[in-house]
Amino acid sequence: MLTTEQIAHEWIDAFNNRDLNRLVGLYAEDAEHFSPKLKVHRPETNGLVKGRPALYEWWQGAYNRLPSLFYKLLTVTANNDRVFIEYIREVEGEEDMAVAEVFDVKDGQIVFSRVYHG
């Protein structure tokens, strides 16, 4: 079972390599994800998606919209059941954006994640 710190590094690596199966596999089957970008691009969600299929669809859409999307990891702060990461969101043609993300972890899987934009 991965530690919360290992989950953070796996998450960044899977995201940047566009390995959606590995990325979504870090989440519990019924995990929830909240993001301000969801509110913008999928207003009907009110910023929240639930379950692996919805996570997969959301990130696939992000890759389709933003082919150069890349996250540069800055910091990882972790304890046994929560991990906080800070990264820079890089997209060609856009200003870099500071982002923080928190993962609540149970039994080695992310059960809830939320994103904060700087």
Side-chain angles (χ1 to χ4, degrees):
M1 185 182 312
L2 297 174
T3 66
T4 52
E5 186 168 345
Q6 290 170 326
I7 287 170
H9 289 281
E10 281 290 313
W11 190 94
I12 288 288
D13 188 63
F15 190 93
N16 285 336
N17 285 294
R18 289 162 169 60
D19 187 342
L20 282 172
N21 289 324
R22 184 165 54 124
L23 181 65
V24 172
L26 294 170
Y27 287 79
E29 194 67 44
D30 59 350
E32 297 182 358
H33 175 72
F34 177 84
S35 169
K37 293 286 185 188
L38 269 162
K39 282 185 174 184
V40 172
H41 294 287
R42 306 235 339 256
E44 74 281 2
T45 67
N46 202 28
L48 184 70
V49 292
K50 299 178 184 183
R52 287 181 180 164
L55 291 165
Y56 190 100
E57 179 184 332
W58 167 241
W59 284 313
Q60 183 63 66
Y63 294 145
N64 292 342
R65 282 190 316 279
L66 307 165
S68 66
L69 180 61
F70 184 84
Y71 292 163
K72 184 168 79 176
L73 184 62
L74 299 175
T75 62
V76 175
T77 305
N79 63 27
N80 289 332
D81 58 2
R82 181 169 292 134
V83 61
F84 175 88
I85 62 175
E86 293 177 286
Y87 54 89
I88 300 297
R89 176 188 179 269
E90 298 176 345
V91 174
E92 190 175 306
E94 293 185 14
E95 204 171 307
D96 289 353
M97 178 187 296
V99 180
E101 192 149 349
V102 179
F103 304 131
D104 293 337
V105 177
K106 183 176 179 183
D107 299 326
Q109 293 188 305
I110 300 167
V111 294
F112 188 77
S113 57
R114 54 205 167 279
V115 180
Y116 303 92
H117 295 144

